[in-house]
Amino acid sequence: SPTQSQFIFPEIQQAQALLPDLLDELYVLVNHLGLDGGCLTPSVYDTAQVLRFAPPKEGVEPGLAWLLNHQQADGGWGNPVAPLMRDVPTLAAVLALHQYNLSGTYGPAIEAGLEFLKQASSQWQDFSVDELLVGVELILPKLVEEAVQNKLDISFQPYGKLNQFGMQKRKVIQHLKVVHGTPAAFSWEAWGEHPDRFLLDAYHSVGSSTSATAAWIAKVRAYQLPSDVTQAQHYLHQASQATRLNIPGVVPFAWPIDRFEQSFGLYALATGGLLAHAALEEVLNQQIQTLYGALTPYGMPFTDTFIPDLDDTAAAIIVFRMAGLPVSPEVLRLFQNEEGYFTYPGEFHASTSAHARAVQALKYLEEEKVAKGQQVLLSFQQEDGAWPGDKWHKSWLYTTSHMLYALLPAPDMPAVDKGLTKLLDGQNDDGGWGLNHTSSTAETAYVMLALNEYQKQKPELEFAYRRGQTWLMENFHREPAPTESLWIGKELFKPYRIDRAFELTALLQAILNP
């Protein structure tokens, strides 16, 4: 209708004028993927653990001030969009403040945190594993134990179900030979006792985890072992730089994340059809060749000192095959079992979004098996048409969009129609997409890439797609809110460069395909 056309295409000239700047920014972004080990948001939980176990030489006051500044009005810490993911950062922050509360200055913040935990404790009576942070079944019971030992007002009782889950995980770990670069090492601070040197990788980290490394340093010092902790302390300093805050002791949940940043950043461009763009050719070729050199016979890790995982492997395969590079189908098969795919060996539940990426990769390796893989994806869909957020990302918009990428080319499947309808229904009044009716640039980009894939066959998607483009153009340069940290680690986080790659790709795709 005339009204719709007026709304959809109000800024065609403005959009075209943006094109050179967007391409320039994307060129620089691609060139920076993996630089200095990656770039991501700081973690309250890991910062608190570093301040407790391995405080920086500059002192703990700047880090404690940062913690206090991030306490929410309700007394808790962590992203309010994910209630079950707030107890870990809250209790860790309380323990850190308690440890340094010699003058009583932090008393009110500690009390508010404990009151928040008491009010939130009922949610642990029943929960879905997909609502949990990485390693929470080990980490939270350990934190509660430490809080009780410190005579803080908290009880084990509400966490009984989670503790049972954790005990099962501990039994699995007991039968493993835990070495550096494994998922068990990543959560070592929650179960480890003996700080063996074989836990350290080439960066002198334990499992590429800042909190696990800090706990290892503390154990070495407590047992007065001859191990030199200087290089492990240096690792924590390097990890701190990834937050771009320059506050001593304020760290991300993991570092480095260089291969993750490269794999997913390039995957974003591949999904948006920009891998062959002439203006990006030089920098793309360089990054793809660098990443290709990191591919092992067992897949792609999130960093070279960690074991490979399905998600990074599948993303990298898609990039390599679209770039014309050979990859053996066996690399993807290594992550396959009778139920579908797993991210890491021994995990308790599968990731739906990693499944989607695996099926998407399958199209470039063994096309005859794609239909069977897509059937597995359909089994994850909810009645309302959405695929819920999963173990690596909180947003259902992320998961649903990635499922729709993987279900191509099947536009006539009822599941696809239901998924697309759910995305249209989820569009906010302002034209963007985001959890709790609050639009975010990254979630809007994920959805726009999905709608673009299907609108050739389904022109009725065009109106919603162009509304999304208009919102993204208007909000492209604003600072992301803390609630937009939706990737799941030991705490919700945001990998800045990866999300920016999706945003730039979605907007460029919309402008290049008017």
Side-chain angles (χ1 to χ4, degrees), residues 304-372:
D304 292 341
T305 55
F306 212 83
I307 66 170
D309 65 89
L310 171 65
D311 232 356
D312 289 292
T313 299
I317 287 172
I318 293 164
V319 171
F320 297 150
R321 294 301 299 124
M322 289 187 71
L325 296 170
V327 179
S328 168
E330 185 60 30
V331 176
L332 191 62
R333 288 190 208 123
L334 291 170
F335 298 94
Q336 197 167 11
N337 58 24
E338 61 279 0
E339 298 173 358
Y341 292 92
F342 57 85
T343 310
Y344 286 109
E347 68 180 359
F348 277 20
H349 67 296
S351 161
T352 50
S353 64
H355 262 81
R357 220 175 321 276
V359 172
Q360 196 177 356
L362 201 59
K363 299 175 192 177
Y364 300 96
L365 297 176
E366 298 179 281
E367 194 171 357
E368 69 279 3
K369 296 184 179 180
V370 170
K372 183 178 179 181

Side-chain angles (χ1 to χ4, degrees), residues 266-281:
L266 295 173
Y267 165 80
L269 272 74
T271 301
L274 296 183
L275 277 189
H277 197 288
L280 306 170
E281 182 179 6

Side-chain angles (χ1 to χ4, degrees), residues 19 22-23 26-27 30 265-285 288 322 449 452-453 500-513:
L19 192 58
L22 293 175
L23 284 169
L26 186 55
Y27 185 97
V30 171
L266 295 173
Y267 165 80
L269 272 74
T271 301
L274 296 183
L275 277 189
H277 197 288
L280 306 170
E281 182 179 6
E282 178 186 359
V283 71
L284 279 172
N285 286 342
I288 291 169
M322 289 187 71
L449 288 170
N452 184 73
E453 293 284 4
R500 193 60 171 172
F502 276 98
E503 294 161 6
L504 283 162
T505 298
L507 194 46
L508 278 165
Q509 186 184 60
I511 295 170
L512 291 168
N513 299 296

